[in-house]
Amino acid sequence: MLSTGRKINYKLGSLYAVITAFLLSIQEPFSFLAAKQLSVLQFVFLTQVALLMSIPLLTVRATSRSDLISLLIDVRNYSKLGAIFAIGMGGLVLFKLGLSKAHPIIISAIINLMPFWAALVARVVSRVPIPVSPAIFFGCLVGGFLGAMAIAWSQVGDAARPNLTQLADSALHGAWLYAVPVPICSALGGTLVGKWFSKYDESAAVAANFFVSACVLVPVVGFVLYRRSELHFGQIFAIILMILGTIVAASMGRVAYQIALTITGNDNGFITMFFLSIPALTALISLPLSWWISDLHFAVDRMFYIGLVVVSASLLLFSLKAWRQVPAG
């Protein structure tokens, strides 16, 4: 575990942020088939089972196991774990509500604003200032946001691609407002884990959150599925892919995220800026998978390359400016 007194290192933080973005990008293409073939409750149940399965992987080191036990036997931690669980579930419910009533492109735009909200959360909760000038931060945020949206737009098929009138109509209905708190919930959860459990190993803190979440959702959702006679799963290949993707993205990705926050002094705005590369990374990961899964859509056109260049340039400029602002520890 990193010492809480360690100096801030934005170069190393950038590396972990990129690793986090790559790991998080794996989940969507790997979970695509399961999300398409399973009901919502079945998908939630199996996702929580996968998180339970990842706990031994997260606690393979003796330090992680010891810290996990210490964290769980301290009853004072359960209110904090419960709060983080409630924040995560609230974000998930709001995401589903927004996605069911607004166009996915609008929801994608809202989610891609996470660096702004994350910087605000880091400022309010952890008193962490933005490591660059406001002009650089917001300039790179706008550039990265536009690039990420260009990539997302390039992956929408011509038949499903909305025109401006349809987008305006979807926006005027206001259902997208449900999704506004989603990136705030995501940023707040990561920041609170870093703030409340800083004395514990990052893997142990993540494992404890998975344990609490699974202890609540697995029996409750499992009982509902049993009563509905839906506690059976025949899509073995889709389930295996989803479990692998969840273990890699949700467990390893979450640990890399928390380590990145520790390295940068809980600077969530800095770390999540690199998450703007996730649409491009997800598309690139989908390419080899599309050779076996024909439904996985991957389009390489001019819009995709333009978005890729804009995101890369924005993140590179942001990284260089942040590196010069704070000396490596």
Side-chain angles (χ1 to χ4, degrees), residues 27-41:
Q27 186 160 21
E28 184 177 341
F30 272 64
S31 300
F32 175 80
L33 276 181
K36 187 176 181 180
Q37 297 176 3
L38 301 173
S39 69
V40 173
L41 287 180

Side-chain angles (χ1 to χ4, degrees), residues 5 26 46 53 62 65 74 78 97 101 110 143-144 150 171 191 205 226 256 275 279-280 287 306 316 322:
I26 291 174
L46 289 174
M53 293 171 60
R65 292 194 299 272
D74 188 346
Y78 279 90
L97 285 173
K101 299 177 182 296
I110 293 172
T191 296
Y226 173 76
F275 291 4
L287 177 58
I306 290 174
L316 179 59

Side-chain angles (χ1 to χ4, degrees), residues 164-180:
L164 293 179
T165 301
Q166 291 172 319
L167 285 180
D169 182 64
S170 181
L172 288 174
H173 278 84
W176 55 270
L177 289 171
Y178 286 115
V180 172

Side-chain angles (χ1 to χ4, degrees), residues 48-206:
Q48 292 299 314
V49 170
L51 294 182
L52 271 180
M53 293 171 60
S54 72
I55 291 179
L57 177 64
L58 293 174
T59 56
V60 67
R61 294 184 300 120
T63 302
S64 300
R65 292 194 299 272
S66 175
D67 277 9
L68 175 61
I69 294 172
S70 299
L71 196 158
L72 290 177
I73 63 176
D74 188 346
V75 295
R76 294 172 298 180
N77 289 327
Y78 279 90
S79 60
K80 300 173 182 176
L81 290 168
I84 293 171
F85 170 73
I87 290 169
M89 288 303 300
L92 180 62
V93 171
L94 290 170
F95 176 74
K96 294 298 183 185
L97 285 173
L99 193 60
S100 65
K101 299 177 182 296
H103 195 278
I105 286 293
I106 295 178
I107 302 302
S108 177
I110 293 172
I111 300 303
N112 281 332
L113 286 174
M114 182 176 178
F116 168 76
W117 296 112
L120 186 61
V121 167
R123 182 67 174 171
V124 173
V125 176
S126 303
R127 307 297 181 187
V128 178
I130 299 173
V132 295
S133 69
I136 293 296
F137 177 80
F138 287 107
C140 293
L141 175 59
V142 170
F145 171 81
L146 293 176
M149 291 308 301
I151 293 169
W153 188 269
S154 74
Q155 298 307 302
V156 178
D158 291 336
R161 185 171 293 168
N163 55 42
L164 293 179
T165 301
Q166 291 172 319
L167 285 180
D169 182 64
S170 181
L172 288 174
H173 278 84
W176 55 270
L177 289 171
Y178 286 115
V180 172
V182 173
I184 303 175
C185 290
S186 299
L188 183 58
T191 296
L192 290 178
V193 170
K195 182 179 177 65
W196 286 342
F197 305 121
S198 59
K199 69 177 182 178
Y200 299 104
D201 178 84
E202 289 87 0
S203 295
V206 172

